[in-house]
Amino acid sequence: MSQAEQTETVDEDGVIESVSGPVVTATDLDARMNDVVYVGDEGLMGEVIEIEGNLTTIQVYEETSGVGPGEPVENTGEPLSVDLGPGMLDSIYDGVQRPLDVLEDKMGTAFLDRGVDAPGIDLEKEWEFEPEVAEGDVVEPGDIVGVVPETVTIEHKVMVPPDYEGGEVTSVESGEFSVEETIVELDNGEEIQMHQEWPVREARPAGDKETPTEPLVTGQRVQDGLFPLAKGGTAAIPGPFGSGKTVTQQQLAKWSDADIVVYIGCGERGNEMTEVIEDFPELPDPQTGNPLMARTCLIANTSNMPVAARESCIYTGITIAEYYRDMGYDVALMADSTSRWAEAMREISSRLEEMPGEEGYPAYLAASLSEFYERAGKFQLINGDEGSISVVGAVSPPGGDFSEPVTQNTLRIVKTFWALDADLAERRHFPSIDWNESYSLYKDQLDPWWEDNIAGDWSDVRQWAVDVLDEEDELQEIVQLVGKDALPEDQQLTLEIARYLREAWLQQNALHDVDTYCEPEKTYRMLTAIKTFNDEAFEALEAGVPVDEIQNVDAAPRLNRMGTAEEWNEFIDEIEDDLKEQLRALY
Amino acid sequence: MKEYQTITEISGPLVFAEVDEPVGYDEIVEIETPQGETLRGQVLESSEGIVSIQVFEGTGGIDRNASVRFLGETMKMPVTEDLLGRVLDGSGNPIDGGPEIVPDDRHDIVGEAINPYSREYPEEFIQTGVSAIDGMNTLVRGQKLPIFSGSGLPHNELALQIARQATVPEEEDGEDDDGSEFAVIFGAMGITAEEANEFMDDFERTGALERSVVFMNLADDPAVERQVTPRLVLTTAEYLAFEKDYHVLVILTDMTNYCEALREIGAAREEVPGRRGYPGYMYTDLAQLYERAGRIEGRDGSVTQIPILTMPGDDDTHPIPDLTGYITEGQIMMDRNLNSQGIEPPVNVLPSLSRLMDDGIGEGLTREDHGDVSDQMYAAYAEGEDLRDLVNIVGREALSERDNKFLDFADRFEKEFVQQGYDTNRSIDETLEIGWDLLSMLPKDALNRIDEDLIEEHYREDEAGEEAEAVSAD
C-alpha cells in the first residue's frame, strides 16, 4: 500500500477505546469515512467504517491480539487505495494489495507477521517507457501517452489519470524510468507518472456500457457449448462443497481467451492458492504460448487471514481489473468465493451490532453484490476505445441450498448460471455443471459469433443436444419406475444417445493434457459426431434393426475417446465413417 | 502485574471486571477465588475501564470478591521435543504423573497464517493401508482430511488404524525407517472417559505413545477449555513440524464438541447468532484451526490433520460439517448403512473426497493406473448404487445383463474393496489389484474412464482365475 510512503503530516492521532476482534473503536480521531488508519503501537492497518460523535469504529486488516485501549491510532487521511502501474501482473497479493513475496522477505518467516507494509508495485524498478505522444499534442483523461512492456504477453499502457484535467503536452521523456518519475508534463502543470492510485470502493470512470456480442471462449465444452459467457458478462458458479467450484474457476483462469486474468482467492484454502502459484508460471497461455502468469494477477486472502482484508479483497481485485480494462483489454475476473466475502461482511456487521437482515447477513448485502457485479461489462472507454471485464463469481451456499441469500441475490444480477451438482460430482462427472438447472441469457446474442466463426448450423445443433438431454430427463423418471427395457425402442435409443452426450461431450477431464482444453471447433465437431450417430442409428431403427444391435456397434464406444484424441479431426472423421458403415451393414 | 478485585458481573463462562489501566485483547487472565483456587481465562473484549473475560475452567466458585490478575501476554504453549510421549489435560498441564515439562520455547497459541507464497503444495502420498482411502480418496502429507461420522459409528477405530498404519512408502524402503513414521498429536475435546481409554489403550498397546502427544479435554471438563485445546495441539504440531522436522499427524476429536463450545460462548456474550445458533464467525474460527496444516517451502516437516466430527442427525448440511467441508481438503464419509452390514471400515466412498488426491497419485508417486482405476470405480459404483433402487421396484430379472454386472460390481466393491477390517494393512499395490479384479467383472467397453493401454495391461481376461488369486492375496 502506498499509504506507507505518505510522508505529509497527518491529522491528529486518536486513542483506542475498545478492542473486540477485528473491530476497534477510537476516540479523538479526526477521520473521514473509509480513511485508512494505522492502529496501535504496531501500526496495524485498518479502515474507518463508522463515525458516531467522537467515537470512530475501525475494521482492522490484521490480527488484533494484545492490542489494548490507550494505544494510538494514526490517520493517513486517504481512503483504501490500490497502487496501479506496471508490475501488477505476475504478482500475488493479499486482500489489501500487499505483495506476498515481498512480505515473506520483509518478515523473514513463512508466517504472516503483523504491522508490515509494502507498496503494491515495486517503486524502484525501472521500466522501458516508449512515448506515443509528442510535445504539442493535446491529451485528455484516459488517453494513452505511451507503453511499457510489462510482461512478455502484455504491453502496459500508461494513461492520463481519469481525475486529471488534461491539456497540451509540454515535455515527454523516453527510456528507463521508475514508476514514480514524471514522464509526461502538461501545460496546466499536471505531471504524469506510470504510477496511479485509485480508491478501491469507487469504480473507475468509463463511458457507456455496450451489449456484449463476443463469447469468452473458455475451452470447456459444457460452458462454451450450452451455457456461454460473453466478454463483459457476469456468471455465478454456485455449488456445495466438493462439487468442483475451484477446479471450474481455475480452468476458466487457465484457458479462457481473456487478455488479462485477475484471480481472487477470497477466504479459500491456503494449499489451493499455493497450487495456483506453483502451476500458473509453468502453464502456457493457450493464446500466446507464454507463461500463464504473464497475463495473471493473483489475490490470495485465505480463510485464516484476517477477515477485514477478506472483505476488501474483492474491491482490490475489481479495481485492478478496471485499470487494465481502461487500457482497452478484455479482462476476466474470477472471485472464489463471493460467499466468503458476504460472510466477512456479516461478521463485521454483527460486531458493529447492526440490525441483521436475512440469515444474519447485513441488510445491504444485495446492494453490495449488485454494486460489485455492475462493475463488469463491455465499456466504451473515456478515451474512445473499448474494453471489457467479465466477472465469474463462485458461490458456496451452506448445505448446497440455493435458496440462501447470497445465491439468490447473486442470481438476480448475473446472466449466466452454472449450477454445480453434488450428485454429478459424486459419480465423478466433471465439470459437474447441471445441464437441467443452468442457463445463459447470452446465448442468443452470441449465436451470430458462433455462426460466423465456427459453423452456420451451430444454433440448430445445440438445440438438438438440449432437446435430447431434456427428453432424457423426462424418460429417466419413467425408467426409475419400470426399468429401461420396458420403454419403446426409439426411447431406449434416445437414452443411449443422451448417454453419449453426457459422457463423451459434457464430461471433460481437466487433468488430461489434451482434454483439458477444447477449442470451439472441436466442441462443435464432437457434437456433430454424436448427432451423426443419432441420425444413422434412427435410420437403422426405422429399417427394423433391433436397438440392442445398434447399441452394440463397435465404433460407438469410441465416441467416448473423442475428447482425449489429439488429432481429433481425423479421429472423428474415422469414427463417423465407421459408424455409418457398421450401422448400414445391419440392414 | 496489577491485581483487581473489581468483578461487576458473572454470566455463564464470562466475567466482567473494571480496570484502571489498558488491557490487551486476547490477553491471559488469572482469577483467584476466595477458596484459593486459580482459574484461567482470556480477554474477549477490552474497553476503556471494563474488560470481559472468558474463563476456561468455568466460572463456578467465582464471586465478586475474587481477584483478577492480567498477565500482560496472550496465551502461550510451552513447547519442547520432550512433549512426545506425554499426556496433558485440555489446558496443557501434564496429567500422566511424569516429570515437569521444561520448555524450549513458548509459542503463541493463536497461530499466524502461513503465507500462501511460502507454502509448498502437498503431493506426497501417505499410505494409510485402508483401501477406501488410499485407492479412492488418497491422503497426502500436509492435507487436512476430516472424517464425517455419526454417533455410534466406528470413527475412532478408523482414526486409530490410520494413526497406526500411516507411512510414506518410499522412505520405508530406505534404511531410515523412523523417518517415515509420523508423530501423532491427539487432541480430545469433550469425548467420554471411555472413548479416551480406548485411545490410550491402543496407544499403549502398539507403543505409539512414545511418538505421540495427547491432550485430553473430557466430556465433564469445562466446555470453554475446548476453545483452547485444539490451539495447543496445533501449536505443538507446528513446532514439531516446522522447527524439529517431524511429520506430524494431528487427530482432533470431536470437532462437534468444539463448535458446541463456540456456540455456548457466543450465546453468553449475547451475540447475534448465525445458522442454528452458531456464531457468524464460525467459518473464520474453524479456518484458523484447519488451515494450520500444510508444508512450508524449505522445511522438512509437515502437519497433516484428521479432524473427526459427528454430524448431528447424520446431516451433512448441518453447519458444522458444512463449514468444515468448505475449508478442508475433502472428507471421509462414514455410513450407517454400511456399518450395519458389518463393513469395516464403513466408508461410503461416493460422498467422500480428497481434493489433493490428483496431485499425489500417478506414475512415480503411486501407480500409473491409480487415477483411472479410481475414477472408473467411482463411476461404476455410482451406477450400481442407482440400479439398486430400481431393483427394489422391478426386480433383477427385468434388468439387462450389463446392468446386472454393475449391480454385482457394487456388491463386491463393498464386500471386497471397502471391507478389510481394522487390522489389515493393505499396500497400495494390493489395493489397486483388488480394484482391477473387480473392474474385470465389467465388459471392457464399459471401462470408458481408463486409458486403453492400461486396460490391455491390467484387465483380467480370465476373471474366474483372478478371483481365486484375489482371495488368497487378502
Side-chain angles (χ1 to χ4, degrees), chain A residues 226-227 443 461-471 501:
Chain A
L226 291 185
F227 312 109
K443 248 187 220 174
V461 178
R462 185 193 56 209
Q463 195 52 48
W464 166 78
V466 172
D467 291 343
V468 173
L469 290 168
D470 278 352
E471 195 178 343
L501 278 177

Side-chain angles (χ1 to χ4, degrees), chain B residues 53-71:
Chain B
I53 301 158
Q54 156 187 332
V55 184
F56 300 139
E57 288 94 340
T59 44
I62 302 179
D63 66 8
R64 293 181 55 189
N65 298 320
S67 60
V68 180
R69 277 194 301 273
F70 296 95
L71 303 190

Side-chain angles (χ1 to χ4, degrees), chain A residues 119-132:
Chain A
I121 52 176
D122 190 337
L123 300 176
E124 261 121 66
K125 181 170 176 177
E126 299 209 327
W127 300 88
E128 178 75 39
F129 174 72
E130 195 186 306
E132 285 191 347

Side-chain angles (χ1 to χ4, degrees), chain A residues 118-288:
Chain A
I121 52 176
D122 190 337
L123 300 176
E124 261 121 66
K125 181 170 176 177
E126 299 209 327
W127 300 88
E128 178 75 39
F129 174 72
E130 195 186 306
E132 285 191 347
V133 289
E135 279 175 35
D137 288 357
V138 174
V139 291
E140 286 178 15
D143 282 355
I144 290 156
V145 296
V147 296
V148 171
E150 182 172 359
T151 65
V152 281
T153 319
I154 296 298
E155 195 169 64
H156 190 100
K157 295 172 183 163
V158 181
M159 297 168 285
V160 181
D163 48 357
Y164 275 26
E165 275 175 26
E168 195 183 307
V169 177
T170 55
S171 102
V172 184
E173 306 282 345
S174 161
E176 302 236 319
F177 296 94
S178 76
V179 294
E180 289 195 308
E181 285 174 271
T182 299
I183 41 181
V184 174
E185 282 176 47
L186 304 183
D187 61 348
N188 60 0
E190 285 175 332
E191 296 176 345
I192 297 166
Q193 296 95 17
M194 294 182 221
H195 173 224
Q196 297 188 13
E197 274 179 39
W198 195 263
V200 296
R201 293 182 199 278
E202 197 179 310
R204 282 173 67 87
D208 292 339
K209 269 196 192 183
E210 293 172 2
T211 308
T213 51
E214 212 182 300
L216 184 78
V217 175
T218 63
Q220 311 303 308
R221 287 187 288 272
V222 55
Q223 279 145 315
D224 286 345
L226 291 185
F227 312 109
L229 174 63
K231 283 200 174 101
T234 50
I237 315 183
F241 62 81
S243 58
K245 277 187 301 297
T246 300
V247 177
T248 310
Q249 285 272 37
Q250 287 185 5
Q251 283 295 95
L252 294 178
K254 283 176 190 167
W255 303 115
S256 64
D257 68 342
D259 299 316
I260 306 276
V261 171
V262 178
Y263 190 92
I264 310 173
C266 173
E268 287 290 308
R269 304 173 181 89
N271 280 331
E272 253 164 28
M273 285 318 294
T274 307
E275 184 186 14
V276 173
I277 297 167
E278 283 184 12
D279 275 7
F280 276 31
E282 282 164 29
L283 288 167
D285 173 352
Q287 268 73 47
T288 61

Side-chain angles (χ1 to χ4, degrees), chain A residues 206-209 325 374-381 385-387:
Chain A
D208 292 339
K209 269 196 192 183
R325 171 207 66 193
E374 271 304 288
R375 289 172 79 168
K378 185 180 180 191
F379 290 91
Q380 189 82 43
L381 303 176
D385 281 354
E386 280 180 355

Side-chain angles (χ1 to χ4, degrees), chain B residues 174-406:
Chain B
E175 278 149 51
D176 185 13
D177 225 357
D178 294 342
S180 67
E181 288 219 323
F182 284 85
V184 177
I185 306 196
F186 179 75
M189 290 161 285
I191 64 169
T192 61
E194 222 168 297
E195 280 176 293
N197 289 341
E198 201 183 312
F199 277 104
M200 290 312 299
D201 289 348
D202 195 87
F203 281 152
E204 275 160 27
R205 180 171 62 83
T206 58
L209 190 59
E210 281 171 50
R211 51 182 179 94
S212 307
V213 189
V214 178
F215 290 82
M216 285 281 180
N217 166 289
L218 298 184
D220 55 351
D221 287 338
V224 185
E225 193 182 72
R226 279 163 216 162
Q227 290 265 285
V228 183
T229 310
R231 295 187 162 81
L232 297 173
V233 167
L234 291 164
T235 307
T236 310
E238 280 175 348
Y239 169 79
L240 289 175
F242 301 132
E243 289 182 33
K244 298 291 169 194
D245 297 340
Y246 283 87
H247 289 290
V248 181
L249 184 69
V250 174
I251 298 176
L252 294 171
T253 183
D254 178 330
M255 290 306 292
T256 306
N257 295 335
Y258 172 83
C259 295
E260 296 295 332
L262 208 60
R263 176 162 71 175
E264 188 180 328
I265 294 154
R269 291 178 66 187
E270 296 174 6
E271 290 168 343
V272 182
R275 274 176 81 207
R276 300 215 192 174
Y278 293 97
Y281 50 80
M282 193 157 88
Y283 179 81
T284 308
D285 192 278
L286 286 173
Q288 279 166 354
L289 300 180
Y290 296 141
E291 276 290 329
R292 291 172 81 173
R295 307 212 54 181
I296 292 180
E297 225 166 281
R299 314 268 175 101
D300 287 334
S302 63
V303 178
T304 309
Q305 270 191 40
I306 303 188
I308 299 171
L309 56 89
T310 45
M311 300 180 282
D314 292 350
D315 172 13
D316 69 352
T317 66
H318 183 280
I320 298 171
D322 191 51
L323 294 180
T324 298
Y326 276 123
I327 304 165
T328 54
E329 282 133 358
Q331 66 278 335
I332 302 292
M333 198 73 96
M334 304 289 265
D335 188 89
R336 206 167 285 281
N337 219 333
L338 290 177
N339 188 47
S340 56
Q341 288 171 36
I343 306 286
E344 294 181 342
V347 173
N348 185 357
V349 299
L350 290 179
S352 300
L353 170 74
S354 165
R355 290 165 190 273
L356 301 183
M357 173 169 181
D358 296 323
D359 295 291
I361 61 169
E363 212 172 350
L365 298 158
T366 54
R367 243 170 62 167
E368 190 191 359
D369 55 335
H370 192 161
D372 286 357
V373 168
S374 150
D375 272 357
Q376 188 67 62
M377 285 204 285
Y378 263 111
Y381 182 52
E383 192 161 348
E385 271 277 86
D386 281 353
L387 289 166
R388 282 180 181 167
D389 295 339
L390 192 54
V391 168
N392 290 335
I393 301 167
V394 298
R396 260 194 114 118
E397 295 71 29
L399 297 185
S400 65
E401 194 190 344
R402 185 178 188 275
D403 287 351
N404 271 305
K405 281 185 173 156
F406 276 94

